Amino acid sequence: MEEQSSRLSVAMPKGGGGGGGGGGASGVSMGGAAVLKSGMLQKAGHSTFGKSFKKRYFVLSLESSSTSGIKEYSLQYFTSEDRKNKKGEFGLAYGFVYAASDSASSRDFVVGTRSVRFSDGGSRGPKAAAAASSPPSRCHATLFPLRAASVAEAEAWMGAIQRAIDASS
């Protein structure tokens, strides 16, 4: 299967996201969900000094409902690999992913989503209820700028996330 990133064409193995950037294994269960990819990424945030990047442990997972058969892909992030302090989670249905730069050497990419759940239990974002019932649009999306340790790792994450988006939309 051939995946298209916004920079270049990358051959990606069918169905697998693989582990990466911190040693997550594909297919490992996490609270009833199958882990497709996991590893350390830097997530853009804000500080008193402006924009900053914080290291977070990300987990791309698939959870299937045994009663409805619905498959939900999500991207969760934690403060560390031990996954004890979950900072947030977002669903990937109607999401999108793209390279943050046209440069072939960029490690930065952006994930856009309409479904965001934070560790405090709240959902934030532009008009969450209206966004859930309206057609997908980048105008009603929450953007998450991310940075990988290498270009190859960024491409691997973008490919795995895009496959999850394609399977859930």
Side-chain angles (χ1 to χ4, degrees):
M1 182 167 132
E2 185 91 348
E3 286 288 334
Q4 290 286 339
S5 81
S6 57
R7 285 195 294 277
L8 53 103
S9 179
V10 180
M12 298 299 290
K14 197 171 193 174
S26 176
V28 174
S29 180
M30 181 182 83
V35 174
L36 305 175
K37 184 163 182 60
S38 62
M40 293 301 282
L41 293 171
Q42 293 180 38
K43 180 184 165 295
H46 298 282
S47 72
T48 54
F49 302 108
K51 192 174 184 178
S52 66
F53 279 86
K54 291 185 180 180
K55 286 187 178 182
R56 296 287 183 236
Y57 188 76
F58 279 79
V59 177
L60 175 62
S61 62
L62 166 64
E63 188 168 343
S64 297
S65 169
S66 58
T67 56
S68 68
I70 295 173
K71 294 181 177 181
E72 292 186 31
Y73 292 85
S74 67
L75 195 56
Q76 302 171 33
Y77 55 101
F78 304 83
T79 54
S80 64
E81 285 185 57
D82 64 14
R83 301 182 190 164
K84 289 182 180 176
N85 187 8
K86 184 175 175 181
K87 298 299 286 180
E89 174 180 5
F90 45 95
L92 294 174
Y94 304 112
F96 52 92
V97 61
Y98 60 90
S101 166
D102 289 335
S103 169
S105 64
S106 177
R107 302 175 297 140
D108 296 347
F109 60 101
V110 177
V111 177
T113 182
R114 295 164 34 97
S115 171
V116 181
R117 294 179 296 278
F118 292 90
S119 59
D120 62 8
S123 294
R124 298 197 259 292
K127 300 180 179 126
S133 61
S134 64
S137 165
R138 288 189 182 198
C139 297
H140 295 287
T142 302
L143 302 179
F144 290 90
L146 301 172
R147 178 174 290 156
S150 68
V151 173
E153 190 63 23
E155 289 172 351
W157 272 102
M158 285 191 297
I161 292 167
Q162 186 61 57
R163 284 191 297 279
I165 289 168
D166 292 345
S168 63
S169 299

